[in-house]
Each structure stands twice: as structure tokens, then as C-alpha cells.
Amino acid sequence: MVTCQEPGTPAADRSGGFPSFGPLVGGATVPGPTDAPDTTEWVYAIRASALIDDPIGATCYRNALNSGRMGPDAHPETILGRCAVAGPDLVEAALRTARQAADEWGGSTRARRAALAEAFSTGLREHADPLTDLLVEEGHPVRLARMEVANLVTFFGPETTDWCLGQLETRHTTDGRTVSLRRVPDGVVCVQPPQNTPALSVGAAFQSVLAGNALVVRLSRHAPIAAMYLLERVAAPALAETGAPSGVLSALCTDPARALDAWLASPLVDDVLYFGDSIRGEQLEKACLAAGKKPILELGGNDMVVVWRDAPLDRVVEALLESYHGSGQICCAPNIALVHPEIADELTDRLTDRVRALRPGFPDDPEVVLAATPNTAGYDATLADARRTGARVLTGGRHLDVQGRESDVAVFAEPALIRVDGLARARELRSVRHETFFPLLTLAVPRPAGDDELLAEMVSFVTDSTYGLRNSLWAQSPEIIDRFVRDVRSCGQLRVNDSHLAGVPFLSNHGGPGLSGDRFAELNYPMLRTSRLQGVSVAQSAPPSPAAAAYVPAQPRPRVEAARAYPPGWPPEELPGGLPAPFTEAFHHDPYPTLHWLREHRPVSRVLSPDGPGWLLTRYDDVRTAHTDPRVTCDSKRIPAGLMWLRHWPSELRERLFVHLLDSDDPRHAELRAIMRPFFTPARQEQWRSRVQRLVDARIDRIVERGRGDLMAAVAYPLGGNVLFSVLGATPPRMNHLRAMIWRTAEWNNDVPYVEALAHEVDAFVRGAVAEKRRSLGDDLISLLVRARDQDGLISEDELHGLVMMMLVAGQDPSINSVGNSLHALLAHPGQLAALRDDPALLATGMGELLRYESPLPFTSWRGTLEPVEFGEVTVPADESLFLCIGAANRDPVRFPDPDRLDLNRPTPGHLAFGHGAHYCLGAHIGRMTAEAAVSTVLRRLPGLRPDGMPRWRPSMFERGLSVLPVAWDVPQKVQQGAGR
């Protein structure tokens, strides 16, 4: 049995060896391998005092322990404890038990949850001393450890708990109804704690259980012992005492990336509560939203303290010294002090003396507040930036050992104090713009001015911060306090004339918007953040009729709904693991997980589409072969799916317009292609480069001064349409109307209302364009086709009209999608975007990679089998529909290793974005050239390009294109100066 080896003995008691914790799954410790206990993989925690005393030796011993090269008998006195590492099977088991428990626990009464809160609070108080000792052994200075435990006890005190429980449900009686407004639990909440304070963060996260959720905790491999002690000795007994389901709590020590990947992929998970840095937090937020999980983020902090001229300086100095508690490795420690210029010099002198007196030491020394500092590189860079920017470094800058001596293997950073005069200059400092996770405080002193102006400037400085955790004010004037509290609304918590760190009843220690959480974050009570508001109305009797005039029903109106026709069995069931079936709405949002699974498990799969059943090909070799096999037809009138879709078209238009390149086989296909080929030679298409570039520049000219916009509406849509109509030689109509009409007319999907009317509209446009060109021939594609019909007799009138209609579809959408998809892919991979911006020549190989990575047409138009055709070990019978998935083929790892990774240096010969074989896209060169011009120009002319909202994919059966791509950029300096003039 892998369990704590010291039941009943305080974990900090050094007389009985060290504790060993096993995975906690469903409230119980999982048994270990009894026949071979030495084979268990462990994560060892070394006492902080050992690491401080001999950083190199103790670290090497920990590494040897974790790798299994040495055993604990070598230096047992240095070992704080160990946790068994949980594998993927236990990660999954924890989620399953949590889901089962959440379904039961979510309906528990408020009284039962209140009893759990009381039991947990009692356990905290009883175990406060051993928990404090464990935190000290993990490296928290004892003064800080006591404060942290006290804060946790305060957070679970009756004031905060009762207030939160009161938010869970309120009842009202009105008009014979009982109306309840209640918060219902989200379900399964997974917690990823930080490395610096895992135990206290896990403790705070336990409040989500009081909302009715089940909790799965991924323990920090860096410092798991105190957190595991808290869960095993306090949380688990409290749950057992109140009769909660066993699966409500699980805690595992495992690889963080593996755990997060499992949570995001699992349909059992509802919320992810993540503590960490803001960069990783923003990435995780996007991943959670894409996976349908609620992200609850606790990220960085860059807290400020405003010190007014009437502040009591003795108390202010004590409050600002909290910046150095734990060497500043606390998110809610103050990082910046904005000091009134009248008292700035006196406060600077007092504070400098006190900061210089701070010294390193072992964490059990009650006079020590500093902790070991891992981020000395950031510390050095921040001080160098301060000196370079013109700030004064009043003290600090050395690396110290525990004795206060400089050392190249030191684990302490000397407490640093910076002063900068002028808030404009302060905004340039790295220590002001970014969180400082080391012992450094910045004093920012505004230029002298009147009180109203000074207060407005200081409040503006606070509210402009990109972080939003907590801020403080020290002032005596009621007017100043009122204005500060009134105007500072950009953070989760305000403190006035109080400790910045101490726990306060009713208040949570966490929570705030911006880089401290997310755009919509707030003061974080996990009980409330992991639940959602629901309204319930129960009528006790028939509600009384109003005294107004008798109700007169509205006149019935006929329901108007365009006909929709789906094949039997639509929509299809999900695939294993909850993956959406092909061609469904969820599949359109992100088709790749489904395509990956099909390629691995069912590469030639019989599937159902809205146009009937068919065979989906996902392997590169199969898709490529199907493009050239003479037993495979492109004629939609010989393909079951094509016939099902075409039946909505008027018969006259169906026979007359579907006689074009995409809908014909050899030999006629080759003859039609030969007629059009002279217009699409690489040399001829290259002549369009300057025209395309002018079009791109004209679109950028319209938006460059705005600083934000939608690249689809501003660039991709108009560019695709203008290039198409320049090639056709036709007068552009209302482009938005025509584009929407064509999208719906050509959609490979029976769920298109009014398709017959749309078809007549397209036909009218084609007839008008041909008639106009016959009156005035030119050097364009329609003129070439009119000559082939009228002068050379090479094509029929139906083929002329069919080829023009084909170009309306095939000539616009691939270009639009290539531009939008390429820019979206680069924005989602900022490293690749930066590489391309630095080296524009990289687009030579990069464009092919972008087309491969997010193909503009993930499916070809219909294909069908004329005879049985073999694809690998599967034979597709004759007269069956084929769905050739270019998007899956272009991500086949057999052809393109690590295919889901965007690598602009990757050669991509043979990608299928423009098809293959006889039906290879005639306009591939101009399509690629258009995308190259758009991508290179956007990156060159819109500096600092970045996402500015959620992109949206356009629902389509066989296209992959965006409807919206919101971005922001830095307005170029010349534009800004011009605007100023």
C-alpha cells in the first residue's frame, strides 16, 4: 500500500522518517505494487534548508532520487517526503470517479455543504501548525508561512463561507409562485496549482467543492508534500465526515502537460482552474475554449500602492516591506509604489534603510522574510533595464548565499529598491510593465502638481495597468479615499490603509481581470466561479389573471420555412471518444481530430453526408490515387451524392450549367482544359502580380490608421472578388450579395434554403456577363471563352455558361480561404509569424506549408466509382460516392512528418491543396500569388499584428474558410504623426 507512512504523526516531525504519499483517487489512496515496491516511480521533495545550505549538492541528490539512480538511504535527513507518480490510467480513473460523484454531490443540500465547510475549517485550524511547518520545509519563510495558513483559515471562516453559501440560492414568493435563483455546479473541476504556493492554492480551490463540484488536483512535482498533506489530512476526512461521495476528491502527482492534455481531451471535465504565468494562461484559455471547457485563470499580479502626502509613513514602510515577503514570489505582493512628491524623499530614505537591513537566512528563522530566488536572470535584466532607462537603483543587485555573501551559485537575490521620477518614464520600466517575481520594489514619483491633477494622474496610472489583481491606498483624507475607491475599478480587490497581504474576512485572496486572470475575471470565489446561475419557478396555484382587458390572441400566421431534405439517419452518431461525425456542425469547427482518428482507425470509411452515404478517404496515397484513377468519375450526374444534391436545381439549369471542367471526365475534360490553358500559363498569371499587389495595398491603405479590424472583410473578401472579376473581365456586382449567393448555391449540402431561386439568380448573372462581353470583347477569360464558342466552335453555349459559373465559384473561394487561413495560422503560431516577418524570403517555402497546414478546400467536389476500386485493403463498390479529403491527406504523417506542426521551413512538394492530376487547379499559380501578396503585405504594413477576438469559421461542407478574423496592430509612426498634424 502506497500511503502516508506516518499516520497520526505531524508531517514536520523529523523523528520518524519522511512521509510517502500515493495517488489519491476518489478519496482513497491507491494501492502500490506490493510485490515490487521499489519499482514505483517517485517524486522526492528535499528540505529547503538542505537546498539553501548546499544548492548544487542537494539538487544533484534530488535529481538522482527522482531518476532512481540513488535511494533515500543515502541522505535521509535531507528528504522532506515523496509522492508516487500517477500514470495515464490513474488520471483517467480520477476523472471517471469525479464525474460519478459530481452527479450525486451536485444535488446535495446547502446544510450538507455548510457542514463540509465547517469540518474543513475545523481541520485547518487543527492542522495549522504541522501545515505551517511543512510550508517552511518547502522554503516559505516562517513569517510568511504563518500568514499564508492564517489567510486560508480566514477564507474558510464563517463570514466568507456564509456569504458564498448565501449566493447559491435565494427564494422569493410572488403571484402564487416560488421563484428560486440558484447557482448550480459546473461538475468536474480540474486544478493545476502553481509551483510557488501549491498547498494554499489547492486549499482555496477546495471551495469549489462547496458549490457541488468534484475536484481533481494535479499536484506540483516541485513541492507536493504540503498540498498532499492538506488534502489527505484535512480535506479527505472532512468529506468523509459529511458523507460526501468518495469520488469528490482526487489528487495526483503527474506530468503537468500530460494532465492538461488529458483534461482538455476528456468529455468528463467541465472546468480547468489554472494557476500560473499569464503567457501560458492565455494559451490555455484558448485551448479550453476550443475544447469546450470553462477556463478559470489565476495568473500574475503587478500590484500597486498609492501613497498620498498625508499617509502615516511608519505604517506605509511596513506595508511596502511586504513586497519582499517570500522574495516577492507572491502574486499579490506589492510591486510598485506611487508616492506623492511631497513625501517621496522622506519615504525613500526610510524605506532604503529598511530594505538594506533585510538579510537571507534559513526559512525557520522568524526574522527572515526572503526565500530562495530561482529567477535571477529576470532580476538582473530588470535592474539593467532600470539603469538604462534612467531610474535610480537605490539598493540591490547582488546574488547572495545564505550567509549574505556574494556567490556564483547563490540562491538569494539581494532585495532591490528602484526609484524613478516622472510617471511617463516609469511606464517605460520593465519592473512596471511586467510582474517582478523576485525581491524588487519600484518607487514611482509623479512630477509636482496640484492635488487634483496628481490624484487623477496616479489613478490613471493604476487603472492603465494590464494586470488587475489588487491595489492599495494609504491616505487619511476621506475625499481622497472616496475618489480612489470610486475610480479604481480595474482590479479584483482594493485595500485602504491596510496590509496588502493579510487575509480579510469576506474577501478572497485571488481574482482579477486582465493579465491577472482574463478579460472577464473578477474577485475569485471558486464556489461561485465554478457554478452558474439558474432560475426556477414553481407555481403553487394558478396565477391570477391581470385586471387588464381580456387577452386577445394574435392572428395566426403561417410558418414560413424553406424545404430541407436530409438522408435517413442524419445527423450521424458521434465517433468513439465523443468526436463529431464528418460533415456535422461540430466537425466544421475543427475537423482535424475526427480526420486523424479516421485516418488511423478507418482510413477508408463509409460515412453519411447531408447528400447521402459515401466513402471518405483520409490517407494521402488513397486521396492522390483517386484523383487519377480512370474508374473514378467527376461527373456529378453519375454520382449518388451529386444526384441527390442536384435534384434541387431546376432541370433546365442542371443540364445546361453542369458541363464544366470540375464536372466532366476525359476526354472532354482534357479538351475544355486545353481551351482555357493559354490563359493560365505561369507566365500569363505572373503578369497579374503587380495588379494583385496594387489591390492589396489599396485595401491596406483603407485600414492602416485604424489599429484594428477584420482581415476577412478588409482584405481577403475584396481581394478574392476583385482578382476574380479582373480575370473574368466582368463588371463586379454587389460583391457581398454575389459571394453569399454563390456560397449557398454551390454548397455541398441539402440544408440550403431557396436553392432553386438562388440557382436562377446565378444563371441570370452568368447570362448577363456573357452578353456584355459579346458586345465588347477584351483580353480576359470570358472573352477567350466567347471566342472559343462564337469564332472557333470549340465549345457549346451550355459549356460557355457552365465554365463561367464554375469560375464564379472556383475562382474566388480558394483565394479568399488561402489568404484568411494563412493569416490565421500565422497568428496562431507567433514564432512562425516572427520568423517570416524577419525573413520575408521564407515565404518561398512557407506558402506551400501554409496551404498544406490549413487547406482552403479540405474536400474535392464529388467523386464517384464507375467500377469497384481498391484503396488499401478496402474495395469500394461501383456506383458509390467518394469524398476525397484533401485536408486529411495534407496532414498524413506518412507523407508529412509531425503534420500538425506549422513549419515554414518545411518543403511541401506534392501537397494537394490545389488538387492533383488532370484536375489540378488551373489558377493555382494566381491563387498562391494572391495569398503571398496578401500575407507579405499585411505583415509588412501592419506591425505588431495580433489577434483581437475570436475568429469564426464559415460553415461549409467542403470548404475551410473564415468568416471573421479580428486583429489589432500598432499604427505606424508616420501615420500617427500625420494624424497629429
Side-chain angles (χ1 to χ4, degrees):
M1 175 74 71
V2 181
T3 185
C4 181
Q5 296 178 347
E6 302 176 78
T9 303
D13 186 346
R14 303 183 182 186
S15 61
F18 55 84
S20 297
F21 293 99
L24 191 68
V25 177
T29 302
V30 175
T34 56
D35 56 337
D38 292 339
T39 63
T40 301
E41 182 183 353
W42 298 96
V43 168
Y44 284 82
I46 301 296
R47 298 182 189 275
S49 55
L51 289 165
I52 291 172
D53 182 61
D54 186 354
I56 301 301
T59 299
C60 291
Y61 181 48
R62 181 181 59 194
N63 295 341
L65 286 169
N66 289 340
S67 65
R69 293 192 297 268
M70 292 182 67
D73 294 339
H75 304 284
E77 70 284 354
T78 68
I79 300 174
L80 175 61
R82 65 182 182 179
C83 282
V85 177
D89 55 336
L90 288 181
V91 173
E92 178 63 24
L95 297 180
R96 288 197 306 269
T97 59
R99 171 51 61 194
Q100 295 169 0
D103 294 340
E104 176 185 346
W105 180 245
S108 57
T109 64
R110 172 175 170 174
R112 195 176 178 192
R113 298 180 197 178
L116 173 61
E118 176 59 29
F120 185 77
S121 178
T122 299
L124 275 176
R125 293 191 297 272
E126 291 176 350
H127 290 267
D129 288 341
L131 184 58
T132 299
D133 291 343
L134 278 177
L135 292 174
V136 172
E137 294 286 8
E138 287 184 341
H140 299 231
V142 64
R143 288 173 59 184
L144 177 61
R146 288 171 181 162
M147 177 184 288
E148 290 171 327
V149 174
N151 286 356
L152 190 58
V153 170
T154 299
F155 184 58
F156 279 92
E159 301 91 348
T160 307
T161 298
D162 290 348
W163 183 84
C164 288
L165 287 171
Q167 307 304 304
L168 294 186
E169 184 170 15
T170 60
R171 294 194 177 193
H172 313 273
T173 301
T174 177
D175 295 335
R177 300 178 179 89
T178 298
V179 178
S180 298
L181 294 174
R182 66 181 188 180
R183 300 194 69 86
V184 295
D186 291 339
V188 175
V189 179
C190 293
V191 181
Q192 177 97 300
Q195 289 193 13
N196 61 318
T197 57
L200 285 306
S201 299
V202 167
F206 184 78
Q207 202 204 40
S208 62
V209 177
L210 303 184
N213 298 291
L215 198 65
V216 178
V217 178
R218 199 287 303 173
L219 289 172
S220 165
R221 293 168 66 100
H222 176 74
I225 306 303
M228 196 63 179
Y229 178 92
L230 174 65
L231 294 174
E232 187 176 283
R233 298 295 186 86
V234 179
L239 289 165
E241 179 182 333
T242 51
S246 59
V248 163
L249 177 64
S250 293
L252 309 166
C253 190
T254 190
D255 178 77
R258 180 189 300 166
L260 277 176
D261 289 345
W263 296 347
L264 292 174
S266 175
L268 304 175
V269 175
D270 297 291
D271 298 353
V272 175
L273 174 50
Y274 173 83
F275 298 80
D277 67 272
S278 56
I279 295 176
R280 175 66 177 137
E282 288 181 323
Q283 296 170 345
L284 178 62
E285 180 181 36
K286 295 176 183 177
C288 284
L289 294 175
K293 318 297 181 190
K294 180 198 285 188
I296 304 170
L297 307 179
E298 286 299 337
L299 308 177
N302 206 24
D303 292 1
M304 301 190 195
V305 179
V306 173
V307 184
W308 199 245
R309 57 183 171 83
D310 61 352
L313 294 189
D314 289 341
R315 295 179 62 194
V316 170
V317 168
E318 295 301 325
L320 291 181
L321 286 174
E322 291 179 349
S323 173
Y324 301 95
H325 282 216
S327 287
Q329 297 173 74
I330 307 171
C331 291
C332 56
N335 288 351
I336 305 155
L338 305 183
V339 185
H340 195 290
E342 288 185 16
I343 60 168
D345 291 343
E346 183 180 356
L347 178 61
T348 299
D349 292 342
R350 291 194 189 188
L351 191 59
T352 302
D353 291 340
R354 294 291 302 277
V355 172
R356 285 175 177 164
L358 296 175
R359 59 178 179 81
F362 291 100
D364 58 354
D365 185 340
E367 299 301 320
V368 168
V369 298
L370 302 178
T373 307
N375 187 16
T376 53
Y379 171 83
D380 294 341
T382 301
L383 289 175
D385 171 80
R387 295 185 180 96
R388 185 169 54 251
T389 312
R392 286 185 289 159
V393 177
L394 304 174
T395 185
R398 299 181 299 164
H399 300 175
L400 307 176
D401 65 14
V402 70
Q403 305 300 329
R405 300 169 301 203
E406 285 196 69
S407 171
D408 58 356
V409 293
V411 294
F412 291 93
E414 183 180 25
L417 183 64
I418 294 172
R419 172 167 169 170
V420 57
D421 289 276
L423 297 191
R425 176 177 290 179
R427 287 188 172 90
E428 302 174 3
L429 288 179
R430 176 173 174 162
S431 63
V432 171
R433 291 183 290 111
H434 303 293
E435 181 182 29
T436 54
F437 214 59
F438 31 80
L440 187 150
L441 175 66
T442 299
L443 301 180
V445 182
R447 302 297 182 188
D451 278 359
D452 286 344
E453 181 180 345
L454 274 174
L455 183 61
E457 185 181 13
M458 295 165 88
V459 167
S460 175
F461 193 94
V462 172
T463 58
D464 285 347
S465 172
T466 55
Y467 295 81
L469 197 54
R470 69 177 63 164
N471 294 294
S472 290
L473 168 70
W474 284 88
Q476 299 300 311
S477 166
E479 180 184 1
I480 298 299
I481 295 173
D482 289 346
R483 287 180 60 186
F484 182 82
V485 172
R486 181 196 69 190
D487 294 341
V488 179
R489 301 182 296 274
S490 58
C491 60
Q493 188 175 149
L494 294 176
R495 298 285 181 97
V496 176
N497 297 329
D498 197 2
S499 163
H500 203 86
L501 293 180
V504 176
F506 298 103
L507 293 185
S508 171
N509 279 329
H510 300 92
L515 295 180
S516 293
D518 57 68
R519 185 173 297 179
F520 306 106
E522 59 187 354
L523 186 62
N524 186 359
Y525 298 89
M527 194 188 306
L528 305 183
R529 291 295 302 278
T530 60
S531 59
R532 57 194 182 278
L533 192 63
Q534 182 187 60
V536 179
S537 174
V538 179
Q540 308 301 325
S541 60
S545 300
Y551 171 69
V552 178
Q555 294 298 316
R557 298 180 182 179
R559 182 179 179 183
V560 179
E561 183 177 7
R564 290 167 166 82
Y566 285 119
W570 184 266
E573 296 181 356
E574 292 182 337
L575 299 179
L579 291 173
F583 309 118
T584 58
E585 183 177 354
F587 172 82
H588 298 156
H589 178 72
D590 183 9
Y592 297 110
T594 293
L595 295 175
H596 289 186
W597 187 91
L598 286 172
R599 189 175 54 240
E600 181 177 353
H601 299 282
R602 302 176 192 169
V604 182
S605 177
R606 184 147 175 94
V607 299
L608 186 65
S609 84
D611 294 316
W615 295 82
L616 176 61
L617 308 185
T618 53
R619 287 184 300 217
Y620 178 89
D621 289 340
D622 292 340
V623 173
R624 183 182 171 101
T625 298
H627 275 81
T628 57
D629 195 312
R631 297 170 293 176
V632 175
T633 180
C634 294
D635 186 349
S636 59
K637 295 180 288 298
R638 304 171 72 184
I639 302 169
L643 288 171
M644 186 172 181
W645 178 75
L646 279 173
R647 77 184 192 282
H648 292 298
W649 278 64
S651 58
E652 184 267 334
L653 298 183
R654 184 169 64 238
E655 295 298 324
R656 186 164 59 81
L657 292 177
F658 282 82
V659 286
H660 50 70
L661 282 176
L662 297 181
D663 211 57
S664 59
D665 299 323
D666 287 335
R668 189 53 180 161
H669 169 266
E671 294 167 353
L672 293 174
R673 191 177 181 93
I675 293 169
M676 299 179 68
R677 186 179 296 117
F679 195 87
F680 289 100
T681 63
R684 179 69 181 268
Q685 293 182 73
E686 189 63 26
Q687 296 173 5
W688 290 87
R689 185 176 294 276
S690 59
R691 184 175 301 184
V692 169
Q693 187 62 56
R694 288 197 300 272
L695 288 170
V696 177
D697 283 329
R699 299 307 306 181
I700 300 297
D701 287 342
R702 297 186 181 191
I703 65 171
V704 66
E705 297 183 24
R706 301 177 189 171
R708 59 177 4 106
D710 171 18
L711 288 181
M712 298 305 296
V715 178
Y717 288 157
L719 181 59
N722 278 291
V723 171
L724 168 66
F725 279 88
S726 295
V727 171
L728 289 175
T731 302
R734 288 184 299 152
M735 291 300 300
N736 292 346
H737 175 79
L738 181 68
R739 183 168 58 248
M741 183 175 64
I742 290 173
W743 279 347
R744 296 173 64 189
T745 307
E747 180 56 291
W748 189 19
N749 179 357
N750 276 292
D751 189 20
V752 178
Y754 308 110
V755 67
E756 183 175 351
L758 292 165
H760 281 297
E761 188 83 3
V762 171
D763 177 58
F765 176 83
V766 171
R767 286 173 178 268
V770 170
E772 177 186 7
K773 192 54 58 179
R774 277 188 164 129
R775 291 191 294 269
S776 178
L777 292 173
D779 184 20
D780 51 68
L781 183 57
I782 297 182
S783 295
L784 180 148
L785 295 173
V786 168
R787 291 187 182 99
R789 163 71 181 122
D790 295 351
Q791 298 176 14
D792 304 322
L794 298 176
I795 58 176
S796 68
E797 189 72 13
D798 288 352
E799 287 173 327
L800 168 59
H801 287 199
L803 289 168
V804 173
M805 187 202 71
M806 177 203 75
M807 286 300 301
L808 285 176
V809 178
Q812 181 176 196
D813 288 4
S815 293
I816 290 173
N817 296 345
S818 296
V819 171
N821 294 359
S822 298
L823 290 168
H824 175 263
L826 290 170
L827 289 166
H829 297 81
Q832 295 292 292
L833 186 151
L836 181 56
R837 192 191 296 278
D838 293 340
D839 181 14
L842 189 58
L843 202 57
T845 58
M847 198 67 242
E849 170 69 352
L850 290 167
L851 291 167
R852 178 205 68 81
Y853 181 81
E854 195 70 87
S855 302
L857 298 175
F859 291 92
T860 65
S861 56
W862 299 284
R863 299 290 198 274
T865 54
L866 301 176
E867 302 172 20
V869 183
E870 305 78 25
F871 296 102
E873 63 282 356
V874 177
T875 298
V876 177
D879 300 320
E880 293 278 349
S881 302
L882 287 179
F883 309 132
L884 311 188
C885 188
I886 292 173
N890 279 340
R891 293 203 184 191
D892 188 340
V894 174
R895 175 70 185 188
F896 302 103
D898 194 8
D900 293 328
R901 178 174 59 86
L902 181 68
D903 180 4
L904 299 184
N905 289 292
R906 182 204 305 265
T908 55
H911 75 73
L912 303 179
F914 292 119
H916 175 65
H919 282 271
Y920 183 81
C921 178
L922 271 173
H925 186 82
I926 196 170
R928 178 186 175 111
M929 183 175 62
T930 301
E932 288 177 349
V935 170
S936 60
T937 306
V938 165
L939 295 189
R940 185 182 75 253
R941 298 194 57 193
L942 303 182
L945 190 71
R946 55 196 178 274
D948 190 39
M950 291 297 294
R952 294 199 299 272
W953 294 99
R954 179 167 57 86
S956 174
M957 294 304 300
F958 64 95
E959 289 192 25
R960 179 74 169 156
L962 291 157
S963 60
V964 176
L965 182 56
V967 297
W969 60 87
D970 302 325
V971 177
Q973 190 65 33
K974 291 183 179 178
V975 174
Q976 292 178 337
Q977 293 173 352
R981 291 194 297 269

